[in-house]
Amino acid sequence: MFDLTGKVALVTGAGQGVGAGIAAALASQGASVAVNDVVTERAELCATELAAKLATSSPKVIPKVMAAPFDVTDRVAVESAIFQVASNLGPIDILVNNAGNAGANTFEPTRFSELDPDHWQKFIDVNLYGVLNCTKAVISSMQTRRWGRIITISSGAGQSGLDLGVSIYGAAKGGSIAFMRHIAIENAKMGITANSLALGLMNTIDDPTVTQHMERVIPVGRLGSPEDIGAACVWLASEEAEWVTNQTIGINGGSLPS
Ligand SMILES: NC(=O)c1ccc[n+]([C@@H]2O[C@H](COP(=O)([O-])OP(=O)(O)OC[C@H]3O[C@@H](n4cnc5c(N)ncnc54)[C@H](O)[C@@H]3O)[C@@H](O)[C@H]2O)c1
């Protein structure tokens, strides 16, 4: 079950954190993986470490791993890099839109009334345009081959109002959820599924002042891990999940959208 042998996956923003966990999980199920990041060294290091780990885990066929450094907000760069990935690994079957947060910038939570409009764009660019650009670059080939899996890593902030200073981030994440729903319906009869995972608070934030008090209100009692999200992506990417589309699934330790 959930065998991804022979499939080709692109995971964006996979040089660290959640994306690195997703790339590892897909590869462990047999998918060849392109590890994207806007920071070239991060993509290369993650791809090298993942390839070394796979080589020692002795599966029957060792999947290929390659670094694919590019900026998801740059449509021309996305088209050209995805063409290169397809030339090296084969056409992309599984797209995981994971790059997010404030993109290459620091995420400084600020209430909308105090936020300079000059700071809006960095959230919209990576969390919404990044998803549009990468989906655009893979969708025609998926339609031709009548198989595809598109998974967008969203956030509870895209579903609920929060007093955390993340309004523009939430607007972009909500936009990506709505976009996935349209892609799901437009392509429902073409073997392509499109879903969003709305994450709760993850253990990739290493500032305990941000996470400590929030961890206490998570029903399961802990932050999420990249492995939690990787497992969900393996399921959604699989043949077995062909009837799962147009969904936004909360992966959040039991927190409910308010
Ligand atoms: N961390 C959380 O608590 C949390 C909660 C809800 C949702 N999410 C979402 O999960 C996803 C992953 O989060 P994370 O905490 O692992 O993030 P992270 O910031 O640790 O890692 C994201 C990676 O994406 C890369 N990246 C940023 N902009 C890019 C771009 N334009 N093109 C290509 N790569 C780019 C970064 O260089 C970084 O390596 C994001 O979409 C985030 O919004 C995270």
Side-chain angles (χ1 to χ4, degrees), residues 157-172:
Q159 299 176 298
S160 300
L162 300 168
D163 192 9
L164 296 173
V166 297
S167 58
I168 307 299
Y169 169 74

Side-chain angles (χ1 to χ4, degrees), residues 219-245:
V220 166
R222 68 163 174 86
L223 302 173
S225 69
E227 291 76 19
D228 292 322
I229 312 309
C233 288
V234 164
W235 168 58
L236 286 176
S238 69
E239 291 290 355
E240 288 83 353
E242 72 173 1
W243 213 47
V244 183
T245 194

Side-chain angles (χ1 to χ4, degrees), residues 107-127:
F107 198 145
E108 286 166 8
T110 311
R111 292 183 136 203
F112 180 72
S113 54
E114 288 135 35
L115 186 67
D116 187 321
D118 285 348
H119 290 281
W120 295 352
Q121 185 129 15
K122 64 186 175 196
F123 295 108
I124 308 284
D125 274 352
V126 69
N127 292 289

Side-chain angles (χ1 to χ4, degrees), residues 120-177:
W120 295 352
Q121 185 129 15
K122 64 186 175 196
F123 295 108
I124 308 284
D125 274 352
V126 69
N127 292 289
L128 185 54
Y129 270 99
V131 176
L132 304 185
N133 290 337
C134 293
T135 304
K136 177 72 177 162
V138 301
I139 193 81
S140 299
S141 164
M142 288 179 175
Q143 288 171 338
T144 305
R145 291 175 295 120
R146 299 191 80 79
W147 205 95
R149 299 284 186 266
I150 304 174
I151 305 163
T152 292
I153 304 303
S154 190
S155 166
Q159 299 176 298
S160 300
L162 300 168
D163 192 9
L164 296 173
V166 297
S167 58
I168 307 299
Y169 169 74
K173 286 299 200 193
S176 74
I177 288 174

Side-chain angles (χ1 to χ4, degrees), residues 13 15-19 36-39 42 70-73 98-101 103-104 126-127 153-155 169 173 199-202 204-205:
Q16 66 178 28
V18 171
N36 160 258
D37 207 284
V38 70
V39 180
R42 257 182 222 169
F70 62 88
D71 181 347
V72 299
T73 72
N98 168 77
N101 289 332
V126 69
N127 292 289
I153 304 303
S154 190
S155 166
Y169 169 74
K173 286 299 200 193
L199 310 195
L201 202 62
M202 305 299 299
T204 55
I205 299 174

Side-chain angles (χ1 to χ4, degrees), residues 22-41:
I22 295 169
L26 296 174
S28 74
Q29 293 304 110
S32 292
V33 178
V35 175
N36 160 258
D37 207 284
V38 70
V39 180
T40 301
E41 305 76 50

Side-chain angles (χ1 to χ4, degrees), residues 201 212 214-224 252-255:
L201 202 62
Q212 253 165 15
M214 295 177 74
E215 190 171 349
R216 272 184 241 124
V217 300
I218 298 173
V220 166
R222 68 163 174 86
L223 302 173
N252 53 27
S255 311

Side-chain angles (χ1 to χ4, degrees), residues 178-202:
F179 173 62
M180 279 297 102
R181 290 196 180 279
H182 286 276
I183 292 300
I185 298 307
E186 287 183 10
N187 294 281
K189 295 210 167 50
M190 289 189 240
I192 300 168
T193 68
N195 294 289
S196 299
L197 296 178
L199 310 195
L201 202 62
M202 305 299 299

